[in-house]
Amino acid sequence: MTSEQKYNEADGENEALLFDYYDDDDVFDTFTDGDCGCDEGVLGFSDPFSSEVKPRILLMGLRRSGKSSIQKVVFHKMSPNETLFLESTNKICREDVSNSSFVSFQIWDFPGQIDFFDPTFDYEMIFRGTGALIFVIDSQDDYVEALSRLHLTVTRAYKVNPDINFEVFIHKVDGLSDDHKIEKQRDIHKRANDDLADAGLERIHLSFYLTSIYDHSIFEAFSKVVQKLIPQLPTLENLLNIFISNSGIEKAFLFDVVSKIYIATDSSPVDMQTYELCCDMIDVVIDISCIYGLTGDEAGAPYDKESMAIIHLNNTTVMYLKEVTKFLALVCFIREESFERKGLIDYNFHCFKKAIEEVFDVRLKVQRSRKLLSQRRWSRQTVPNGTQVPPH
């Protein structure tokens, strides 16, 4: 393995702001800064005229289905074995993952026993700002009750917000054989869609994933969930296709370094083993940087704009990692004969990186324009001393 790491403290905050595709100021009034908070009661928006807020991802399911474990493993790097000691969630816990990651959304973990359809609980406000609803089903338990709760949740949420992406995680499949996994998925898929058809709701689309915290399946499933919330996804995929076709690259991923969720990939199919190798490579780069990097006052971040790594596999394939932004990394699979033209690959990567910057620069300008417009609309609704404020 050949690895190159350099460290630089001049990694400014302006760069991070440039690539954040949701505005950090568009948050809810009831939330405070922090890694995780638990809320009880009615939740509301700070600005009802805000044109863009961070999308919410709701984690729902019955008790002990593995919702909190999923959140801890994916976004807190908790070892799967440590999740055995997690206490059962008894309140709604939300986490803002935009502080240390490229992806910008909020995850709300709902306890299995909570009745969020209680008349005193404003579930419409929750579903109205939701981008994706993940319902976790324990595959090793009797899932009749879970399917009933899934149907109730999906139908209520769809009436409030038809644009929600409904995702079903068939979880804890690590203890099942491959044939049993497929059988479980087929049975749950059929029952869930039959219930929707009986209610005349065939237009509701459910996506199903086989997941486990003991392998990379949970990261791949979350990647596909998050990709649906990224408005620039078609553009990113097109840029990756252009990049690999002109560089002799076989496969390329755009990774969020913190969560190991891949933001985009080219149009060729994703192989699970390839994805696992990418995740392992990111871990190697970060771990080596933390262990052998500069210490004291000279130390920089373990991942910065000079980060780069090359790994030669024993099947004549080369893995190549390059920093794209403060939070993003490009991981490529290249044949050794193609990697001999490394200069061409690096030049094409420079063009690719510049195009990525332009994509999110445009996004940032649109956000600022929308924010300014929403502030003006908000100010016109203010009536101080009984006098309507004239438009600016």
Side-chain angles (χ1 to χ4, degrees), residues 319-336:
M319 296 181 65
Y320 191 30
L321 181 147
K322 291 275 286 184
E323 184 265 0
V324 179
T325 76
K326 184 177 181 180
F327 301 121
L328 292 181
L330 181 73
V331 183
C332 307
F333 286 81
I334 315 168
R335 288 292 177 186
E336 286 186 347

Side-chain angles (χ1 to χ4, degrees), residues 19-304:
F19 300 105
D20 222 354
Y21 63 92
Y22 284 104
D23 197 331
D24 282 343
D25 291 331
D26 290 332
V27 295
F28 299 104
D29 192 26
T30 55
F31 295 153
T32 57
D33 293 335
D35 292 334
C36 183
C38 295
D39 304 290
E40 292 178 314
V42 179
L43 304 163
F45 293 101
S46 61
D47 182 358
F49 295 96
S50 179
S51 58
E52 185 172 45
V53 295
K54 294 176 185 177
R56 268 172 278 180
I57 296 179
L58 307 186
L59 274 174
M60 294 184 171
L62 299 183
R63 293 190 62 178
R64 312 305 300 178
S65 59
K67 304 182 296 296
S68 299
S69 299
I70 291 173
Q71 181 182 355
K72 295 295 184 181
V73 169
V74 175
F75 297 103
H76 290 272
K77 304 306 170 198
M78 180 178 286
S79 169
N81 293 326
E82 293 179 21
T83 62
L84 298 173
F85 305 101
L86 287 177
E87 295 182 0
S88 181
T89 305
N90 55 18
K91 292 187 292 186
I92 299 176
C93 291
R94 63 92 196 161
E95 179 181 6
D96 191 336
V97 300
S98 64
N99 296 329
S100 61
S101 174
F102 169 79
V103 290
S104 181
F105 53 81
Q106 293 171 335
I107 296 181
W108 292 21
D109 184 4
F110 281 76
Q113 71 274 15
I114 193 171
D115 182 11
F116 52 89
F117 296 125
D118 188 284
T120 61
F121 196 84
D122 192 357
Y123 70 89
E124 290 189 3
M125 184 63 73
I126 295 175
F127 290 142
R128 197 174 299 139
T130 297
L133 190 156
I134 300 175
F135 196 92
V136 183
I137 297 178
D138 186 350
S139 65
Q140 300 183 19
D141 197 4
D142 183 15
Y143 45 78
V144 174
E145 183 183 355
L147 287 171
S148 176
R149 185 65 175 266
L150 169 65
H151 179 76
L152 177 63
T153 304
V154 167
T155 52
R156 290 286 186 94
Y158 183 81
K159 291 179 182 178
V160 176
N161 183 3
D163 296 327
I164 293 180
N165 298 320
F166 296 104
E167 321 285 352
V168 181
F169 284 7
I170 305 172
H171 198 47
K172 301 182 183 179
V173 299
D174 47 276
L176 306 177
S177 64
D178 291 341
D179 291 340
H180 203 183
K181 290 178 185 178
I182 297 174
E183 181 183 344
K184 289 272 188 181
Q185 184 176 16
R186 186 185 296 116
D187 185 42
I188 292 175
H189 182 280
K190 184 178 185 303
R191 291 192 187 190
N193 283 291
D194 286 349
D195 289 342
L196 292 175
D198 293 341
L201 296 172
E202 298 94 339
R203 59 188 175 276
I204 298 180
H205 176 70
L206 303 178
S207 299
F208 296 86
Y209 308 89
L210 294 170
T211 61
S212 170
I213 60 174
Y214 290 95
D215 56 33
H216 291 83
S217 60
I218 189 62
F219 293 95
E220 185 177 17
F222 239 106
S223 296
K224 294 178 180 178
V225 171
V226 171
Q227 286 171 20
K228 297 178 183 179
L229 303 178
I230 300 178
Q232 302 93 343
L233 181 63
T235 303
L236 297 178
E237 290 180 345
N238 188 40
L239 289 174
L240 284 169
N241 286 330
I242 296 172
F243 172 64
I244 67 170
S245 64
N246 289 280
S247 306
I249 294 174
E250 294 193 345
K251 187 67 181 173
F253 293 88
L254 196 59
F255 267 90
D256 175 63
V257 177
V258 176
S259 64
K260 289 186 292 188
I261 289 174
Y262 69 92
I263 303 301
T265 185
D266 57 86
S267 56
S268 61
V270 176
D271 179 61
M272 187 65 178
Q273 292 181 339
T274 301
Y275 174 72
E276 291 178 358
L277 283 172
C278 292
C279 294
D280 293 341
M281 185 178 191
I282 292 174
D283 287 337
V284 167
V285 170
I286 300 299
D287 291 346
I288 291 180
S289 298
C290 292
I291 296 172
Y292 298 105
L294 299 176
T295 59
D297 296 336
E298 297 179 345
Y303 178 80
D304 58 29

